[in-house]
Amino acid sequence: MKAMILAAGLGTRLRPLTDNIPKALVELNGRALLEITIERLKSLGVTEIIVNVHHHAEKIAAFLKSKNNFGLRGELSREDDLLLDTGGGLKKAAWFFQEGNSDEPFLLHNVDVLTTIDLRQMLDAHKKASSLATLAVQQRPSSRQLLFDDNGLLCGRRINNTDTLASSVNSASSSLGTPFHPVGAPVPVAQAEPHPTSNPSAADPELRPLAFAGIHVLSPRLLNLITESGVFSIIDTYLRLAASNEKISAFRTDQYYWRDLGRLEDLSAASLDMQQPKLL
C-alpha cells in the first residue's frame, strides 16, 4: 500500500521552532511529527511513501536517510521553487501512484495532525462505497467547512459562513445551483457562477457542514481526472468532480481523538494529551 505525506508547508505559525527546521521535524514528546505520521501509516500496512518537501527539504531527506526510511520505500517530491498546495503537490507526485497501473487506493495525510482515526476502517469504507475519494471529517467549529448531503456525498463548501454549492452531485440535488468553478478557471458562457449565500439557512437544510481532518483515501483513477495545474487546492478538484457526479464521500470521525498541530499552543496541548494511556 502507498501513501503521500504532505510536509512541504512553511510552518509559519510554529515559529520560532520552524526558523531552522521544517514543520515535519518539529518534535512532540521527543518524536518528529513526520515520524509519528509514518509509524501510523506503517501500522496500517503502508509499505511505500512519498513526502513532498520545500522548507528545509534537505533536512527531511537527511532525517529519512538516518532512519532508513523507517523500513519503507521512501521517495521525495521536491517543490523547491514553488509551494504547490495540496492539489498541485499531489499532481506532481502522481507518477508514484501510477507505477504498475495499480487500482489500489492510497492515502494522503497531512503531517501536522495527531489523531487516533481508524485508517483501516476508513480504507474499508472507501472500498465498500466505491468512492473516488473519501475524506475524514468531523463536526467541530471551523471557518472552513465542507458540505455533504444526507448520503454523505460532497456538495459544496462553507468559508466564513458563505456557502459555495456544486450541482448535479446526485439525483436529489438538482436545485443546488450551477457547477463549481475554482478561482481563476474559465466559466463556459452557458453557465453562471454558483450562487454563494452568506445565510446558511438559505442553502439546502439537508446539507451538513463538517470540518476536514486532513486525511484522504483516494482511488488512483482520480489522478487522471485532475485538470487543474500549477498551485491549487485538491478541494477545488473534489468540488469540480462532485459536480460531475463523481463520488466524494465523507468518513465521520467524531468519535476519535484529533488535533491540528499548526500552532505552538496546539503542540503544548498535544504533549499533555499524549500522556494519556493508549492515546497513540
Side-chain angles (χ1 to χ4, degrees):
M1 186 186 304
K2 294 184 176 184
M4 180 173 184
I5 299 174
L6 296 172
L10 297 176
T12 54
R13 296 180 298 163
L14 287 175
R15 288 175 177 164
L17 295 180
T18 52
D19 285 342
N20 298 306
I21 63 171
K23 174 172 58 176
L25 297 187
V26 168
E27 292 190 352
L28 180 60
N29 290 8
R31 299 170 66 203
L33 301 186
L34 182 58
E35 177 181 354
I36 293 171
T37 304
I38 289 175
E39 292 291 2
R40 284 209 74 224
L41 293 172
K42 188 175 178 179
S43 70
L44 176 68
V46 169
T47 57
E48 302 177 71
I49 59 168
I50 188 166
V51 183
N52 71 333
V53 294
H54 173 81
H55 183 54
H56 294 298
E58 293 305 329
K59 292 187 176 181
I60 292 180
F63 174 78
L64 290 172
K65 183 177 180 180
S66 72
K67 300 290 186 179
N68 194 30
N69 290 330
F70 295 89
L72 308 177
R73 174 197 173 194
E75 301 283 352
L76 295 181
S77 181
R78 305 188 68 104
E79 300 176 18
D80 295 330
D81 298 327
L82 180 67
L83 275 171
L84 296 174
D85 205 342
T86 52
L90 175 61
K91 186 171 184 175
K92 182 177 175 65
W95 64 269
F96 179 75
F97 301 103
Q98 292 174 323
E99 293 175 329
N101 296 316
S102 172
D103 60 357
E104 181 181 30
F106 62 92
L107 282 98
L108 186 63
H109 197 302
N110 288 5
V111 77
D112 58 353
V113 296
L114 183 69
T115 182
T116 61
I117 290 172
D118 189 332
L119 299 179
R120 190 172 303 281
Q121 190 176 70
M122 184 177 175
L123 182 64
D124 290 344
H126 175 85
K127 292 178 178 178
K128 183 176 181 180
S130 298
S131 297
L132 183 67
T134 299
L135 313 181
V137 291
Q138 55 201 191
Q139 191 164 8
R140 59 177 168 83
S142 175
S143 62
R144 304 172 69 88
Q145 295 180 310
L146 300 176
L147 302 174
F148 294 88
D149 66 13
D150 55 4
N151 292 314
L153 298 178
L154 181 67
C155 292
R157 66 180 162 192
R158 177 174 296 169
I159 300 178
N160 295 323
N161 217 31
T162 297
D163 294 354
T164 301
L165 306 178
S167 70
S168 305
V169 176
N170 56 44
S171 59
S173 60
S174 60
S175 64
L176 292 181
T178 54
F180 172 84
H181 300 280
V183 175
V187 181
V189 174
Q191 297 177 340
E193 282 287 356
H195 179 65
T197 175
S198 59
N199 179 6
S201 64
D204 190 322
E206 297 301 319
L207 297 185
R208 293 175 174 81
L210 297 168
F212 181 46
I215 302 173
H216 332 222
V217 176
L218 305 176
S219 294
R221 187 171 67 86
L222 167 74
L223 300 171
N224 288 329
L225 300 177
I226 299 176
T227 58
E228 295 79 6
S229 61
V231 180
F232 64 96
S233 168
I234 194 62
I235 299 298
D236 290 342
T237 303
Y238 294 155
L239 288 166
R240 174 178 58 79
L241 293 173
S244 300
N245 291 318
E246 292 287 356
K247 185 180 287 189
I248 314 296
S249 301
F251 179 75
R252 294 292 296 267
T253 63
D254 307 276
Q255 69 271 37
Y256 300 106
Y257 172 86
W258 182 92
R259 187 180 290 278
D260 174 81
L261 301 176
R263 303 173 302 172
L264 292 172
E265 53 266 41
D266 297 320
L267 282 175
S268 298
S271 179
L272 292 175
D273 293 341
M274 289 186 70
Q275 295 176 21
Q276 300 177 25
K278 299 182 180 181
L279 176 60
L280 290 171

